[in-house]
Amino acid sequence: MKKDFWISYNTVADLINPAIWDDYLIGMENLLDDTLEKLDTNDPIRRNADTKNQEGKYITNFKEGEESKWIFGRFKKSKIRMQIWIFKRIDDRPNTIDVKFPDIPHSNADIRQIMQIFDFGNLIFSPFYSYADMTEVIFVKVPSTPCLNISRELLGIFWLTYLNRKYCDFFGTKIQGCKFGREGPNSGIVLQLDDTIEGLSPTLRSAVEAYIGVESFANGPPAKELGRFALTLQQLAEE
């Protein structure tokens, strides 16, 4: 499997606001020194994009009877891709935003850029959980049911992991005292397991999961009770 890199945000925030997406897309162009060239509800992506024309309206314009949308995007020079799954109403699935890089970060400048992009998305989207790692590492995780249910368990602890304030309270001293943690956007905590992704011990991700609470993360059957080891979407959406 190709060693590309993936950031994923999971959020119950209301994202049916074009201004949120305009801020995010323009911010990403600035962070990447790049241009969003394509944004489309179809893949392969054909529709040309122009952030000067407020692409947020395209993302949040739901057709009559449409409850959710898939949107695909691509940046011009870097070939970084976005995949957005956005809902009119949060019911049993969160909004998800995936950003996929064609290579893993190697240089110090690449890693600094990844950190900035990760924190920027955590600030804009107010996720309850987000993570970043090599795609091959993310893909080997096995949920306790055929499809991951975020109200039963989180996918895992990865090279970068963000947990919001409610999850910090949920995990308590285990997360707040973790030596890999730093303060993150919106009163959350970011765990960074190593300075570089290539220097990360393969067993460290699992060791941190075990320290925080192994049942809260995907580790295969049997199925887990909703809301016992993870917060439900309803709990996360409550003020």
Side-chain angles (χ1 to χ4, degrees), residues 115-167:
M115 301 298 180
Q116 291 173 331
I117 291 169
F118 189 66
D119 280 353
F120 180 60
N122 289 327
L123 178 65
I124 292 288
F125 298 127
S126 299
F128 57 87
Y129 173 58
S130 57
Y131 52 86
D133 212 321
M134 292 185 292
T135 303
E136 62 180 3
V137 172
I138 295 169
F139 275 8
V140 300
K141 299 294 288 186
V142 179
S144 62
T145 53
C147 295
L148 182 75
N149 187 327
I150 209 84
S151 293
R152 295 184 192 277
E153 61 194 346
L154 303 178
L155 190 57
I157 296 295
F158 297 97
W159 178 52
L160 296 177
T161 307
Y162 171 85
L163 295 163
N164 75 346
R165 179 186 54 78
K166 285 195 175 183
Y167 259 113

Side-chain angles (χ1 to χ4, degrees), residues 79-96:
K79 305 304 179 188
I80 290 168
R81 289 177 172 258
M82 292 192 312
Q83 187 169 293
I84 300 163
W85 195 9
I86 184 174
F87 291 82
K88 258 187 179 180
R89 296 185 300 275
I90 297 299
D91 191 3
D92 59 348
R93 294 179 184 272
N95 297 313
T96 60

